[in-house]
mmCIF file of all heavy atoms in Angstrom:
data_model
loop_
_atom_site.group_PDB
_atom_site.id
_atom_site.type_symbol
_atom_site.label_atom_id
_atom_site.label_comp_id
_atom_site.label_asym_id
_atom_site.label_seq_id
_atom_site.Cartn_x
_atom_site.Cartn_y
_atom_site.Cartn_z
ATOM 1 N N VAL O 16 -84.187 18.483 -34.622
ATOM 2 C CA VAL O 16 -82.803 18.070 -34.534
ATOM 3 C C VAL O 16 -82.010 19.069 -33.688
ATOM 4 O O VAL O 16 -82.118 20.295 -33.861
ATOM 5 C CB VAL O 16 -82.143 18.009 -35.958
ATOM 6 C CG1 VAL O 16 -80.641 17.686 -35.846
ATOM 7 C CG2 VAL O 16 -82.859 16.989 -36.797
ATOM 8 N N SER O 28 -81.045 13.796 -43.265
ATOM 9 C CA SER O 28 -81.655 14.991 -43.851
ATOM 10 C C SER O 28 -82.979 14.647 -44.559
ATOM 11 O O SER O 28 -83.315 13.512 -44.725
ATOM 12 C CB SER O 28 -80.659 15.624 -44.850
ATOM 13 O OG SER O 28 -79.382 15.756 -44.255
ATOM 14 N N VAL O 37 -81.361 0.973 -65.699
ATOM 15 C CA VAL O 37 -82.407 0.062 -66.269
ATOM 16 C C VAL O 37 -82.194 0.117 -67.792
ATOM 17 O O VAL O 37 -81.885 1.168 -68.365
ATOM 18 C CB VAL O 37 -83.790 0.521 -65.908
ATOM 19 C CG1 VAL O 37 -84.845 -0.419 -66.499
ATOM 20 C CG2 VAL O 37 -83.976 0.636 -64.396
ATOM 21 N N GLN O 42 -80.872 6.301 -65.617
ATOM 22 C CA GLN O 42 -82.005 7.166 -66.021
ATOM 23 C C GLN O 42 -82.839 7.482 -64.807
ATOM 24 O O GLN O 42 -82.633 6.983 -63.704
ATOM 25 C CB GLN O 42 -82.831 6.479 -67.090
ATOM 26 C CG GLN O 42 -83.286 5.064 -66.699
ATOM 27 C CD GLN O 42 -83.977 4.339 -67.864
ATOM 28 O OE1 GLN O 42 -85.072 4.771 -68.253
ATOM 29 N NE2 GLN O 42 -83.368 3.293 -68.395
ATOM 30 N N PHE O 68 -69.952 1.897 -51.832
ATOM 31 C CA PHE O 68 -70.350 3.168 -51.279
ATOM 32 C C PHE O 68 -69.112 4.093 -51.259
ATOM 33 O O PHE O 68 -67.988 3.707 -51.484
ATOM 34 C CB PHE O 68 -70.929 3.011 -49.917
ATOM 35 C CG PHE O 68 -70.013 2.611 -48.828
ATOM 36 C CD1 PHE O 68 -69.361 3.568 -47.998
ATOM 37 C CD2 PHE O 68 -69.693 1.283 -48.561
ATOM 38 C CE1 PHE O 68 -68.500 3.223 -46.986
ATOM 39 C CE2 PHE O 68 -68.812 0.903 -47.623
ATOM 40 C CZ PHE O 68 -68.195 1.877 -46.812
ATOM 41 N N LYS O 75 -69.862 24.430 -44.622
ATOM 42 C CA LYS O 75 -70.274 25.790 -44.865
ATOM 43 C C LYS O 75 -69.201 26.722 -44.313
ATOM 44 O O LYS O 75 -68.718 26.552 -43.202
ATOM 45 C CB LYS O 75 -71.603 26.147 -44.214
ATOM 46 C CG LYS O 75 -72.808 25.870 -45.086
ATOM 47 C CD LYS O 75 -74.095 26.385 -44.419
ATOM 48 C CE LYS O 75 -75.308 26.086 -45.312
ATOM 49 N NZ LYS O 75 -76.555 26.465 -44.623
ATOM 50 N N SER O 96 -64.451 1.193 -57.726
ATOM 51 C CA SER O 96 -65.156 0.136 -56.954
ATOM 52 C C SER O 96 -66.194 -0.544 -57.829
ATOM 53 O O SER O 96 -66.358 -1.757 -57.782
ATOM 54 C CB SER O 96 -65.793 0.706 -55.712
ATOM 55 O OG SER O 96 -64.849 1.285 -54.828
ATOM 56 N N ASP O 121 -81.255 20.637 -49.572
ATOM 57 C CA ASP O 121 -81.074 20.448 -48.124
ATOM 58 C C ASP O 121 -80.038 21.357 -47.533
ATOM 59 O O ASP O 121 -79.360 20.969 -46.561
ATOM 60 C CB ASP O 121 -80.782 18.979 -47.848
ATOM 61 C CG ASP O 121 -82.017 18.102 -47.806
ATOM 62 O OD1 ASP O 121 -83.140 18.664 -47.759
ATOM 63 O OD2 ASP O 121 -81.911 16.861 -47.896
ATOM 64 N N ALA O 123 -80.174 23.850 -45.577
ATOM 65 C CA ALA O 123 -80.362 24.179 -44.166
ATOM 66 C C ALA O 123 -79.837 23.086 -43.260
ATOM 67 O O ALA O 123 -79.629 23.302 -42.075
ATOM 68 C CB ALA O 123 -81.830 24.420 -43.875
ATOM 69 N N PHE O 138 -74.175 5.477 -52.530
ATOM 70 C CA PHE O 138 -74.004 4.066 -52.570
ATOM 71 C C PHE O 138 -74.747 3.511 -53.766
ATOM 72 O O PHE O 138 -75.753 4.035 -54.197
ATOM 73 C CB PHE O 138 -74.396 3.363 -51.265
ATOM 74 C CG PHE O 138 -75.797 3.592 -50.815
ATOM 75 C CD1 PHE O 138 -76.776 2.623 -50.891
ATOM 76 C CD2 PHE O 138 -76.200 4.820 -50.237
ATOM 77 C CE1 PHE O 138 -78.044 2.785 -50.452
ATOM 78 C CE2 PHE O 138 -77.479 5.038 -49.780
ATOM 79 C CZ PHE O 138 -78.434 3.974 -49.902
ATOM 80 N N MET O 139 -74.231 2.386 -54.302
ATOM 81 C CA MET O 139 -74.798 1.750 -55.485
ATOM 82 C C MET O 139 -74.965 0.268 -55.162
ATOM 83 O O MET O 139 -74.113 -0.351 -54.501
ATOM 84 C CB MET O 139 -73.902 1.964 -56.678
ATOM 85 C CG MET O 139 -73.677 3.398 -57.047
ATOM 86 S SD MET O 139 -72.278 3.654 -58.174
ATOM 87 C CE MET O 139 -72.809 2.854 -59.658
ATOM 88 N N LYS O 170 -59.886 9.106 -26.105
ATOM 89 C CA LYS O 170 -58.670 8.445 -26.584
ATOM 90 C C LYS O 170 -58.987 7.121 -27.261
ATOM 91 O O LYS O 170 -59.872 6.428 -26.839
ATOM 92 C CB LYS O 170 -57.762 8.170 -25.383
ATOM 93 C CG LYS O 170 -57.166 9.429 -24.766
ATOM 94 C CD LYS O 170 -56.211 9.127 -23.689
ATOM 95 C CE LYS O 170 -55.560 10.396 -23.083
ATOM 96 N NZ LYS O 170 -54.584 10.128 -22.026
ATOM 97 N N TYR O 179 -56.781 -12.514 -38.016
ATOM 98 C CA TYR O 179 -57.749 -12.178 -39.104
ATOM 99 C C TYR O 179 -57.173 -11.172 -40.054
ATOM 100 O O TYR O 179 -56.248 -10.393 -39.676
ATOM 101 C CB TYR O 179 -59.022 -11.704 -38.483
ATOM 102 C CG TYR O 179 -59.744 -12.688 -37.634
ATOM 103 C CD1 TYR O 179 -59.638 -12.675 -36.270
ATOM 104 C CD2 TYR O 179 -60.505 -13.728 -38.224
ATOM 105 C CE1 TYR O 179 -60.265 -13.605 -35.481
ATOM 106 C CE2 TYR O 179 -61.119 -14.672 -37.476
ATOM 107 C CZ TYR O 179 -61.033 -14.619 -36.097
ATOM 108 O OH TYR O 179 -61.610 -15.588 -35.308
ATOM 109 N N ALA O 180 -57.621 -11.177 -41.269
ATOM 110 C CA ALA O 180 -57.210 -10.195 -42.290
ATOM 111 C C ALA O 180 -58.410 -9.456 -42.841
ATOM 112 O O ALA O 180 -59.469 -9.978 -42.977
ATOM 113 C CB ALA O 180 -56.488 -10.942 -43.447
ATOM 114 N N TYR O 224 -46.856 -7.130 -41.418
ATOM 115 C CA TYR O 224 -46.845 -5.756 -41.913
ATOM 116 C C TYR O 224 -48.132 -4.991 -41.508
ATOM 117 O O TYR O 224 -49.222 -5.520 -41.620
ATOM 118 C CB TYR O 224 -46.642 -5.718 -43.409
ATOM 119 C CG TYR O 224 -45.338 -6.262 -43.875
ATOM 120 C CD1 TYR O 224 -45.243 -7.619 -44.251
ATOM 121 C CD2 TYR O 224 -44.196 -5.489 -43.946
ATOM 122 C CE1 TYR O 224 -44.034 -8.131 -44.710
ATOM 123 C CE2 TYR O 224 -42.978 -5.995 -44.312
ATOM 124 C CZ TYR O 224 -42.909 -7.325 -44.730
ATOM 125 O OH TYR O 224 -41.698 -7.840 -45.102
ATOM 126 N N GLY O 229 -58.651 0.043 -38.502
ATOM 127 C CA GLY O 229 -60.104 0.041 -38.620
ATOM 128 C C GLY O 229 -60.554 0.215 -40.059
ATOM 129 O O GLY O 229 -60.109 -0.506 -40.951
ATOM 130 N N PHE O 234 -51.160 6.040 -40.239
ATOM 131 C CA PHE O 234 -49.869 6.717 -40.316
ATOM 132 C C PHE O 234 -49.094 6.451 -39.038
ATOM 133 O O PHE O 234 -49.681 6.443 -37.953
ATOM 134 C CB PHE O 234 -50.052 8.209 -40.530
ATOM 135 C CG PHE O 234 -50.495 8.610 -41.919
ATOM 136 C CD1 PHE O 234 -51.835 8.540 -42.287
ATOM 137 C CD2 PHE O 234 -49.569 9.033 -42.887
ATOM 138 C CE1 PHE O 234 -52.217 8.891 -43.556
ATOM 139 C CE2 PHE O 234 -49.946 9.377 -44.164
ATOM 140 C CZ PHE O 234 -51.274 9.309 -44.472
ATOM 141 N N LEU O 260 -50.344 13.248 -47.385
ATOM 142 C CA LEU O 260 -49.029 13.134 -47.999
ATOM 143 C C LEU O 260 -48.647 14.363 -48.780
ATOM 144 O O LEU O 260 -47.480 14.817 -48.762
ATOM 145 C CB LEU O 260 -49.013 11.873 -48.971
ATOM 146 C CG LEU O 260 -49.135 10.554 -48.275
ATOM 147 C CD1 LEU O 260 -49.213 9.423 -49.276
ATOM 148 C CD2 LEU O 260 -47.930 10.311 -47.311
ATOM 149 N N ASN O 266 -45.166 21.062 -46.562
ATOM 150 C CA ASN O 266 -44.623 21.623 -45.342
ATOM 151 C C ASN O 266 -43.285 21.041 -44.943
ATOM 152 O O ASN O 266 -42.824 21.221 -43.795
ATOM 153 C CB ASN O 266 -45.633 21.440 -44.221
ATOM 154 C CG ASN O 266 -46.868 22.298 -44.396
ATOM 155 O OD1 ASN O 266 -46.962 23.466 -44.010
ATOM 156 N ND2 ASN O 266 -47.921 21.731 -45.020
ATOM 157 N N LYS O 290 -43.359 8.196 -31.972
ATOM 158 C CA LYS O 290 -43.929 9.431 -31.452
ATOM 159 C C LYS O 290 -45.415 9.526 -31.605
ATOM 160 O O LYS O 290 -46.119 10.063 -30.830
ATOM 161 C CB LYS O 290 -43.248 10.604 -32.138
ATOM 162 C CG LYS O 290 -41.731 10.637 -32.046
ATOM 163 C CD LYS O 290 -41.261 10.706 -30.618
ATOM 164 C CE LYS O 290 -39.743 10.788 -30.545
ATOM 165 N NZ LYS O 290 -39.267 10.752 -29.140
ATOM 166 N N SER O 302 -57.621 10.709 -36.553
ATOM 167 C CA SER O 302 -57.952 10.128 -35.268
ATOM 168 C C SER O 302 -56.634 9.669 -34.610
ATOM 169 O O SER O 302 -56.119 8.612 -34.912
ATOM 170 C CB SER O 302 -58.924 8.994 -35.364
ATOM 171 O OG SER O 302 -59.252 8.469 -34.075
ATOM 172 N N GLY O 306 -52.634 4.405 -27.845
ATOM 173 C CA GLY O 306 -51.874 3.245 -27.495
ATOM 174 C C GLY O 306 -52.269 2.062 -28.300
ATOM 175 O O GLY O 306 -53.334 2.048 -28.919
ATOM 176 N N ILE O 326 -51.336 19.069 -36.639
ATOM 177 C CA ILE O 326 -50.942 20.008 -37.698
ATOM 178 C C ILE O 326 -51.729 19.651 -38.957
ATOM 179 O O ILE O 326 -52.336 20.550 -39.561
ATOM 180 C CB ILE O 326 -49.420 19.867 -38.000
ATOM 181 C CG1 ILE O 326 -48.615 20.447 -36.791
ATOM 182 C CG2 ILE O 326 -49.098 20.561 -39.304
ATOM 183 C CD1 ILE O 326 -47.107 20.153 -36.932
ATOM 184 N N LYS O 330 -54.777 21.948 -40.788
ATOM 185 C CA LYS O 330 -54.653 22.381 -42.209
ATOM 186 C C LYS O 330 -55.757 21.868 -43.050
ATOM 187 O O LYS O 330 -56.283 22.621 -43.903
ATOM 188 C CB LYS O 330 -53.256 21.989 -42.746
ATOM 189 C CG LYS O 330 -52.109 22.722 -42.126
ATOM 190 C CD LYS O 330 -50.794 22.343 -42.756
ATOM 191 C CE LYS O 330 -49.645 23.158 -42.163
ATOM 192 N NZ LYS O 330 -49.742 24.595 -42.383
ATOM 193 N N VAL O 349 -70.246 24.720 -54.247
ATOM 194 C CA VAL O 349 -71.516 24.248 -54.854
ATOM 195 C C VAL O 349 -72.256 25.441 -55.402
ATOM 196 O O VAL O 349 -72.482 26.412 -54.697
ATOM 197 C CB VAL O 349 -72.353 23.446 -53.846
ATOM 198 C CG1 VAL O 349 -73.723 23.068 -54.421
ATOM 199 C CG2 VAL O 349 -71.617 22.214 -53.366
#
Side-chain angles (χ1 to χ4, degrees):
V16 177
S28 312
V37 182
Q42 53 187 294
F68 70 94
K75 269 187 182 175
S96 299
D121 278 345
F138 58 107
M139 299 162 69
K170 293 184 177 181
Y179 298 99
Y224 296 95
F234 286 82
L260 293 175
N266 291 275
K290 305 300 183 185
S302 181
I326 291 170
K330 289 184 178 297
V349 174

